Amino acid sequence: MKNGKEESPAPSSAKIFNTPTPLFNLMSYFLFFGLGLAIGLIISFSLNIQLKQFFVPTPDQTTSPLPIPIANETKKINRIGLKEYLKPPKVAHDMTDEELLWRASMVPRVGGFPFKRVPKVAFLFLTRGPLPLAPFWELFFKGHEGRYSIYVHSHPSFNATLVPQSSVFHGRRIPSKEVQWGKFNMVEAERRLLANALLDISNQRFVLLSESCIPLYNFSTIYSYLMGSKKSFVESYDLPGPVGRGRYNPRMKPLIKMEQWRKGSQWFEMDRGLAIQVISDRKYFPVFQKFCTPPCYADEHYLPTLVSVKFWRRNSNRSLTWVDWSHGGAHPARFWRVAVTVDFLKKLRNGSHCHYNGKSSNTCFMFARKFLPNALDRLLRFGPKLMKFN
Ligand SMILES: *[C@@H]1O[C@H](CO)[C@@H](O)[C@H](O)[C@H]1NC(C)=O
Ligand SMILES: *[C@@H]1O[C@H](CO)[C@@H](O)[C@H](O)[C@H]1NC(C)=O
Ligand SMILES: *[C@@H]1O[C@H](CO)[C@@H](O)[C@H](O)[C@H]1NC(C)=O
Ligand SMILES: *[C@@H]1O[C@H](CO)[C@@H](O)[C@H](O)[C@H]1NC(C)=O
Ligand SMILES: *[C@@H]1O[C@H](CO)[C@@H](O)[C@H](O)[C@H]1NC(C)=O
């Protein structure tokens, strides 16, 4: 009876130890507890030592005030932040046009930049092969690194490795495709150039040039003119007659009406916002691709019409590239060696009238075409002094 009463509070322990007397039971409890405590202490002590050995104190974790500034500095230097994200891909990447346009169309929705951004001018050279006037451009760019970027689209058969390593044009050729005069692939090449330049978040203004183009002012003047402009420079005008409205195809209706049809020079200058709109257009582009075939030349109508219909508020409707159409015909006048004089260059710089940011101005053209390769030596002789290159 007694045994049964004693056993009842701890029946399981009795079963485990299977001991008959309560005294022995109590002693074994103490022994068990003491052993456990000792083992626990030993383990925790040795673990503590091991942990201390593993985690060698880093400058970060020390409590002494002296090493803190060092940690601060190394952290700053090694910080990745947005660096990896903002790094533009190699100019000679292997993206398809579809992949390129998709990537280039991405826009941050938060205004401003959480880093220091020096806006750059992207010079987009649409060429057949080499750039014969490159030495003049080299002088123009000299000393202005970090405020411009160059992209070259040339015929796929052109061997770009021939561009000297010392040249600003070296390694700046984008993956290019064949372009034929008056064909729609000219517009595709322009979009390809814009899209490649958009991959660099620093590029703010985009100017299309050919191998026969020259600058008319020094870099700092052109940079200020472009960065300071509230508008883009896509020439756009309504021209009655066969080479204007005559090129309109009624099958473009209802998207494009005759009254909306515009003409203009392909040599544009535009801001980043407009460039993104142009490469993202999926509505007007296919219609021009299908219906603007010779004698309709898409490079003279696609951008002038698109910009005039959708983005006219941001456009000045004029081109920054001077050209001479005075003698008529399908091609503008070309300038060879003897045509290049100081007076001629002065006239191009200050012989016109236009509006700039709402004010009347005589400074209307930043660039001029079409200069033949043999004009180079005279350009090198008169240009830098007249245009105040540094
Ligand atoms: C450490 O960082 C703080 C905050 O970014 C900064 O104000 C301080 O100048 C830095 N100190 C050093 C030594 O770089
Ligand atoms: C381009 O020119 C370099 C040097 O002259 C030559 O080694 C290379 O084979 C050429 N590449 C092509 C595709 O013609
Ligand atoms: C440019 O042309 C469009 C029509 O195509 C017109 O609405 C706009 O006012 C013009 N802008 C300037 C600055 O002349
Ligand atoms: C530009 O031409 C106008 C007259 O057409 C003249 O008043 C002005 O001084 C000229 N500016 C320069 C910088 O030559
Ligand atoms: C660029 O030309 C302007 C005048 O046209 C001159 O005032 C300026 O100093 C020149 N810039 C440089 C960097 O030489």
Side-chain angles (χ1 to χ4, degrees):
M1 285 281 280
K2 246 186 170 180
N3 254 359
K5 234 187 178 179
E6 292 269 1
E7 271 177 33
S8 62
S12 53
S13 72
K15 268 174 200 160
I16 292 163
F17 291 101
N18 203 18
T19 48
T21 63
L23 185 68
F24 187 81
N25 206 349
L26 200 69
M27 270 173 69
S28 72
Y29 267 124
F30 272 117
L31 210 74
F32 190 66
F33 178 75
L35 204 76
L37 194 73
I39 290 169
L41 275 171
I42 290 163
I43 287 174
S44 81
F45 188 66
S46 70
L47 207 68
N48 207 358
I49 288 171
Q50 276 180 342
L51 279 174
K52 273 185 181 160
Q53 279 171 342
F54 269 116
F55 296 93
V56 176
T58 60
D60 262 352
Q61 290 170 320
T62 52
T63 44
S64 71
L66 204 61
I68 287 175
I70 297 162
N72 197 1
E73 260 170 40
T74 49
K75 252 191 199 164
K76 255 189 188 168
I77 291 161
N78 297 330
R79 213 174 80 85
I80 293 162
L82 288 168
K83 248 181 253 164
E84 287 297 314
Y85 179 77
L86 295 174
K87 200 160 63 186
K90 282 202 179 83
V91 174
H93 56 76
D94 67 353
M95 277 185 270
T96 63
D97 279 355
E98 200 189 358
E99 290 167 338
L100 170 72
L101 292 173
W102 180 80
R103 182 166 173 184
S105 71
M106 292 188 183
V107 184
R109 293 195 58 178
V110 172
F113 299 94
F115 51 90
K116 191 173 178 288
R117 176 182 182 261
V118 179
K120 292 196 282 190
V121 178
F123 291 83
L124 317 175
F125 286 89
L126 181 56
T127 74
R128 264 152 284 215
L131 282 153
L133 305 177
F136 190 58
W137 283 103
E138 303 265 1
L139 290 180
F140 168 81
F141 287 120
K142 204 173 162 198
H144 301 284
E145 294 72 22
R147 292 203 292 161
Y148 66 86
S149 34
I150 294 171
Y151 301 86
V152 183
H153 186 292
S154 48
H155 195 277
S157 68
F158 172 63
N159 189 343
T161 59
L162 299 175
V163 177
Q165 214 134 28
S166 57
S167 168
V168 292
F169 296 100
H170 181 84
R172 301 309 302 175
R173 185 211 213 164
I174 64 162
S176 309
K177 291 187 184 167
E178 196 181 346
V179 172
Q180 290 136 319
W181 185 81
K183 290 275 179 71
F184 192 76
N185 51 27
M186 183 83 91
V187 176
E188 291 172 328
E190 290 175 11
R191 290 224 304 187
R192 206 172 288 129
L193 275 164
L194 276 176
N196 275 281
L198 278 169
L199 299 181
D200 185 342
I201 196 100
S202 305
N203 287 329
Q204 183 58 30
R205 306 287 312 202
F206 303 78
V207 54
L208 184 71
L209 300 156
S210 79
E211 63 263 73
S212 75
C213 287
I214 60 158
L216 289 175
Y217 293 89
N218 64 17
F219 184 88
S220 39
T221 302
I222 291 181
Y223 183 88
S224 314
Y225 195 94
L226 302 188
M227 291 300 171
S229 174
K230 295 193 184 92
K231 294 199 169 163
S232 291
F233 299 91
V234 179
E235 192 183 33
S236 177
Y237 56 92
D238 181 15
L239 181 71
V243 297
R245 287 196 179 203
R247 292 178 182 171
Y248 170 75
N249 186 337
R251 292 169 75 190
M252 292 177 168
K253 267 195 279 195
L255 185 65
I256 305 154
K257 300 183 200 81
M258 169 76 100
E259 312 87 78
Q260 295 174 318
W261 185 251
R262 291 291 180 277
K263 186 178 174 161
S265 160
Q266 78 178 109
W267 309 104
F268 61 73
E269 194 287 329
M270 58 177 72
D271 66 12
R272 191 171 179 92
L274 183 54
I276 287 167
Q277 296 288 358
V278 167
I279 62 117
S280 309
D281 169 41
R282 302 244 153 165
K283 210 167 149 190
Y284 290 79
F285 188 82
V287 170
F288 273 82
Q289 195 168 28
K290 199 165 173 194
F291 299 119
C292 183
T293 51
C296 175
Y297 302 106
D299 57 274
E300 288 185 347
H301 297 280
Y302 168 63
L303 281 181
T305 303
L306 173 73
V307 172
S308 149
V309 173
K310 295 192 73 183
F311 313 108
W312 57 272
R313 278 184 192 84
R314 294 155 41 175
N315 191 27
S316 64
N317 299 344
R318 67 182 176 93
S319 174
L320 285 186
T321 306
W322 183 91
V323 69
D324 180 11
W325 284 104
S326 62
H327 73 139
H331 295 278
R334 306 202 293 173
F335 301 99
W336 55 299
R337 196 173 175 279
V338 295
V340 180
T341 62
V342 171
D343 283 342
F344 173 66
L345 293 174
K346 271 186 181 166
K347 195 188 98 193
L348 304 193
R349 283 157 58 91
N350 191 29
S352 322
H353 180 78
C354 59
H355 285 271
Y356 177 75
N357 285 347
K359 287 201 186 99
S360 162
S361 172
N362 286 316
T363 308
C364 304
F365 298 107
M366 292 290 114
F367 310 97
R369 55 195 285 262
K370 310 181 70 163
F371 290 81
L372 293 173
N374 66 15
L376 179 65
D377 64 336
R378 283 208 171 200
L379 284 171
L380 289 173
R381 192 147 27 116
F382 306 135
K385 196 167 165 231
L386 175 72
M387 300 173 196
K388 297 192 172 66
F389 288 5
N390 61 354

